[in-house]
Amino acid sequence: MRSIDISKRTPPAAGDPGPAPMLQWLKIVDLVVDDGYQRDLKNDNWNRIRRIADRFRWTRFSPVFVAPVEGGKYAIIDGQHRTHAAALCGVTEVPCQVVHMTREEQAASFAAVNGMVTKVTGFNILRASLVAGERWAIDAAKVCADAGCELMTSNGSTDAKKPGEIYPIALIKKGVADGHGRTMTLVLAALRRSEFGKQAEAYSNEILKPFFAAVADRPWLLGGGVDLASFCDRFDVWACLDKASEFVKRRRREGVIGVSRYDIAAADIGEALDKAFPQRMRLPPPMPAVAAQ
């Protein structure tokens, strides 16, 4: 646990903090949204509201920031997503932080609250999810650990990164969700055994993403007896990525958009895998011998 320590920090110049807030429960029907400065609720917003509602718990609900307006109503400064989610869940009252301010101050407060938010990174989310025991985080960490790698919970400088440290959290999380955990473990374990895998760059998103995709499309590689480590050393993945980048640039100059260099690289890696490890067709069982008449 860490205490609040400001002993080595310089305080700001003295200023007027304004009226002190009040904390109270308010009825949702008394909360309003001022479209003059608030964001519209588009499809993405409603998708976010649905995600909040699907996992609604008071332990994840911070007070809604509001200001009194005419007619006994309260304008929401911050918290309209979680308020809509609470209403979807049948909640009729929510905890609010009430601060008296003019409409101009409300707009300025909205801009300040939403413009100065400290971004929560994927590393922060992973670390919290591991402590919370969330299934996706545990499974993602295990996929890496089973290959002798470590899914990192904090970022590091380029020079400080080491072989076997896995930083592309979103890539691992999506692979687990898509059912490709064994595939990712196979690829990571092969990299750990290879000479190529002795450099930290081998575990970057740029390398892992097309490799995972190519192997995932060839489930017979999971059957064993495949020396992927040697393949990693023989295959020039850097040349493959450069070739894919040039192909995408050429197609864009021709007016073709939506072409992914990762998809192109994955196709090239897949072609090389097919040549190195051709799929063996399962032969039908032998027919029983016919007894001599």
Side-chain angles (χ1 to χ4, degrees):
M1 297 293 180
R2 187 160 42 87
S3 60
I4 305 300
D5 183 5
I6 59 171
S7 59
K8 297 180 180 179
R9 305 298 173 183
T10 303
D16 180 10
M22 299 177 291
L23 296 175
Q24 61 188 91
W25 286 77
L26 296 176
K27 296 182 182 299
I28 292 179
V29 294
D30 291 332
L31 303 182
V32 294
V33 177
D34 189 335
D35 287 329
Y37 59 83
Q38 276 284 357
R39 70 192 82 183
D40 295 333
L41 293 182
K42 302 185 184 300
N43 284 337
D44 286 346
N45 301 97
W46 280 110
N47 289 336
R48 182 181 177 189
I49 289 169
R50 170 57 62 183
R51 289 195 297 271
I52 296 172
D54 288 342
R55 300 183 299 169
F56 186 87
R57 291 178 65 86
W58 288 119
T59 55
R60 302 169 184 172
F61 194 100
S62 57
V64 181
F65 186 19
V66 302
V69 292
E70 303 133 0
K73 302 293 185 180
Y74 297 83
I76 297 176
I77 311 300
D78 181 63
Q80 71 158 316
H81 284 102
R82 55 186 179 275
T83 300
H84 280 84
L88 278 176
C89 294
V91 174
T92 59
E93 294 184 337
V94 292
C96 295
Q97 174 182 312
V98 184
V99 181
H100 289 266
M101 62 182 89
T102 65
R103 186 168 185 265
E104 291 74 17
E105 289 173 326
Q106 293 172 32
S109 181
F110 169 82
V113 169
N114 289 278
M116 299 177 64
V117 175
T118 301
K119 184 179 179 181
V120 178
T121 69
F123 299 107
N124 302 138
I125 297 297
L126 173 63
R127 188 162 59 247
S129 298
L130 286 170
V131 173
E134 294 190 19
R135 189 74 260 161
W136 76 264
I138 294 172
D139 290 345
K142 187 175 186 302
V143 159
C144 299
D146 286 349
C149 297
E150 181 182 2
L151 186 61
M152 305 304 292
T153 57
S154 62
N155 204 358
S157 65
T158 300
D159 294 339
K161 292 180 179 179
K162 300 177 182 178
E165 294 181 342
I166 310 300
Y167 290 90
I169 297 170
L171 178 66
I172 304 298
K173 180 179 180 180
K174 185 178 187 306
V176 170
D178 291 343
H180 297 311
R182 290 180 59 208
T183 295
M184 293 188 294
T185 297
L186 177 68
V187 173
L188 292 175
L191 286 172
R192 290 297 277 160
R193 296 192 307 272
S194 69
E195 288 297 316
F196 175 65
K198 291 182 178 179
Q199 53 183 314
E201 293 85 352
Y203 304 88
S204 65
N205 186 79
E206 186 177 31
I207 300 294
L208 294 180
K209 186 173 182 178
F211 255 110
F212 286 162
V215 177
D217 285 341
R218 292 157 179 81
W220 62 87
L221 296 175
L222 291 170
V226 173
D227 188 5
L228 271 183
S230 295
F231 175 85
C232 292
D233 288 330
R234 294 193 308 271
F235 184 77
D236 191 344
V237 67
W238 298 117
C240 171
L241 290 169
D242 288 342
K243 177 184 174 184
S245 295
E246 288 302 317
F247 177 84
V248 170
K249 289 178 184 177
R250 184 169 67 254
R251 296 296 284 164
R252 286 176 179 171
R253 287 195 295 269
E254 295 169 353
V256 179
I257 60 174
V259 181
S260 167
R261 72 188 184 109
Y262 289 111
D263 292 341
I264 302 301
D268 285 347
I269 294 171
E271 184 177 346
L273 285 169
D274 290 340
K275 292 179 180 178
F277 313 110
Q279 183 182 12
R280 296 179 180 177
M281 295 182 62
R282 185 183 298 275
L283 298 175
M287 295 294 291
V290 179
Q293 299 295 324

